[in-house]
Amino acid sequence: MSHAIAFLAAAIVFLALDYLWLGHLAGGFYRDRLGNLMADQVNFTVAAAFYTVYVVGIVIFAVAPALRSGQWWDASVYGLLFGFFAYATYDFTNLATLRDWPLDVTLVDVAWGACLTGVSATCGFFAARALG
């Protein structure tokens, strides 16, 4: 039960913050640099699959170890690391293989992914501890 609560809490936080980031705070940054690569419309089926799989990863690799240790900072650190490695894999692969992929997008996106995942994992941990 606590893992399901952690999933729901982490998903809500992740989606809300990513929506604010992509939709309002940094959308122009990405559009200016990647506009020629961006689709006209979001494929919501694929987006839902990504968010579901990614938040499952947050719970497995960050929240579950923190619940075992009882330490919230384990969720934060493991979440930050999970986010760093996942976003770095995506962005560094793009930097290595795609023509004109901007370095500043890689740096900003990896930092964002690490922070977003760390915060989401920490919130998932606290929700699971409080409600699980």
Side-chain angles (χ1 to χ4, degrees):
M1 179 70 159
S2 62
H3 288 82
I5 292 168
F7 175 87
L8 288 174
I12 289 167
V13 170
F14 194 93
L15 287 166
L17 292 178
D18 213 28
Y19 170 77
L20 288 173
W21 177 254
L22 295 172
H24 300 284
L25 299 173
F29 170 80
Y30 289 102
R31 237 181 335 279
D32 290 347
R33 288 153 181 84
L34 303 173
N36 59 325
L37 298 174
M38 295 175 75
D40 293 330
Q41 292 185 329
V42 173
N43 183 328
F44 287 103
T45 302
V46 175
F50 162 75
Y51 284 111
T52 301
V53 168
Y54 194 81
V55 175
V56 167
I58 292 171
V59 173
I60 291 170
F61 296 112
V63 178
L67 290 172
R68 284 192 296 276
S69 73
Q71 306 299 323
W72 67 268
W73 55 81
D74 284 344
S76 297
V77 170
Y78 289 134
L80 186 126
L81 290 171
F82 179 68
F84 173 82
F85 290 120
Y87 276 68
T89 299
Y90 170 79
D91 282 289
F92 289 146
T93 299
N94 288 341
L95 189 61
T97 62
L98 297 178
R99 184 182 355 257
D100 299 327
W101 184 267
L103 176 61
D104 60 347
V105 168
T106 296
L107 299 175
V108 168
D109 205 47
V110 170
W112 170 246
C115 293
L116 173 62
T117 306
V119 168
S120 300
T122 304
C123 292
F125 169 81
F126 281 124
R129 286 288 300 266
L131 303 172

